[in-house]
Amino acid sequence: EGQLLESGGALVQPGGSLRLSCAASGFTFGSYAMSWVRQAPGKGLEWVATVSPTGRASYADSVKGRFTISRDNSKNSMSVHMNSLRAEDTAVYYCAKVLEQWLVQGAFDIWGQGTMVTVAS
Amino acid sequence: QLVLTQSPSASASLGASVKLTCTLSSGHTRYAIAWHQKQPEKGPRFLMKVNSDGSHNKGDGVPDRFSGSSSGAERYLTISSLQSEDEADYYCQTWSTDVSWIFGGGTKLTVL
């Protein structure tokens, strides 16, 4: 059974940067698109970014130009580098796997437990 | 614009059944969706993918008490024989051809 484990969450000042990582196990990582999804306190789930198996990235408008998603298939890992952080980026960040091999669209079928990012001075 | 609409809350008694609804916006009624369960302090859990014809594919280990169905623009999650651990937030999700994902606002399910 596949598993995802996020790390890197922290308290960061507005305007600062942070890198989150996601370690994958239990499935053929390089065959699946991977995503970041966040949940701000008291709010619902919000898609952030997705990277295809070959490294092509897609972003939500709210983070475009500030966040960069990437992956290392040799290490079964994915990351997101977050720049110019704002208070509204405060959230628990989850990594998630897309259900079907090689497709960049589809349901998220495996989720991590999340890592907290707090943007505050 | 692709939008998913969910009722903010639902409630049902222990042992009873409940049917949660996710409504697709006009022009998107043939989209498949996924249902996820979100409990406090835990990561979301994939429950199932529900297609426009009502067929569904459940995630690993999801109990038979959980089932999905469709009618027009609506996608349903039915939970039977409700248990206390089913109390959670339930989100529907879909995806668009421009490589983006949409979540509904979530339904908070209370088991009485």
Side-chain angles (χ1 to χ4, degrees):
Chain A
E1 183 179 330
Q3 289 189 326
L4 299 171
L5 183 64
E6 304 93 338
S7 60
L11 169 64
V12 61
Q13 292 189 338
S17 299
L18 196 63
R19 180 176 180 267
L20 306 182
S21 297
C22 173
S25 61
F27 62 95
T28 309
F29 179 78
S31 300
Y32 294 91
M34 299 293 298
S35 299
W36 288 97
V37 174
R38 66 186 181 185
Q39 185 174 33
K43 303 294 185 182
L45 299 173
E46 178 191 16
W47 170 70
V48 173
T50 294
V51 60
S52 75
T54 57
R56 184 171 181 175
S58 302
Y59 300 95
D61 288 343
S62 58
V63 306
K64 200 172 292 183
R66 300 187 300 122
F67 289 16
T68 302
I69 189 173
S70 62
R71 64 190 295 157
D72 185 339
N73 290 340
S74 68
K75 295 182 179 179
N76 290 351
S77 68
M78 172 183 69
S79 63
V80 61
H81 196 91
M82 305 183 292
N83 290 325
S84 304
L85 283 163
R86 308 165 180 168
E88 53 264 36
D89 296 317
T90 294
V92 177
Y93 285 73
Y94 300 99
C95 65
K97 167 189 167 290
V98 171
L99 176 63
E100 297 183 58
Q101 287 191 50
W102 305 113
L103 294 183
V104 192
Q105 300 164 339
F108 298 150
D109 71 323
I110 300 175
W111 295 79
Q113 89 294 341
T115 187
M116 182 71 203
V117 173
T118 303
V119 184
S121 53
Chain B
Q1 184 182 2
L2 180 55
V3 175
L4 297 175
T5 301
Q6 299 181 251
S7 296
S9 63
S11 62
S13 299
L14 198 65
S17 294
V18 67
K19 190 174 188 179
L20 307 182
T21 303
C22 175
T23 303
L24 287 150
S25 50
S26 176
H28 302 96
T29 59
R30 296 183 62 84
Y31 278 52
I33 66 114
W35 284 103
H36 303 279
Q37 180 191 62
K38 177 67 174 71
Q39 294 177 322
E41 311 306 320
K42 291 186 176 181
R45 179 191 186 189
F46 169 67
L47 296 176
M48 66 187 71
K49 176 186 173 184
V50 181
N51 298 308
S52 59
D53 63 0
S55 60
H56 56 279
N57 308 93
K58 291 202 286 190
D60 292 342
V62 176
D64 292 341
R65 304 186 293 106
F66 291 79
S67 63
S69 58
S70 291
S71 177
E74 297 189 329
R75 308 285 180 265
Y76 306 108
L77 172 68
T78 300
I79 312 172
S80 59
S81 303
L82 271 169
Q83 301 181 5
S84 58
E85 58 262 34
D86 297 332
E87 187 161 289
D89 295 328
Y90 290 84
Y91 290 90
C92 58
Q93 171 209 8
T94 194
W95 44 94
S96 70
T97 53
D98 65 355
V99 194
S100 64
W101 282 258
I102 306 294
F103 288 92
T107 296
K108 183 178 182 63
L109 175 62
T110 300
V111 179
L112 304 172

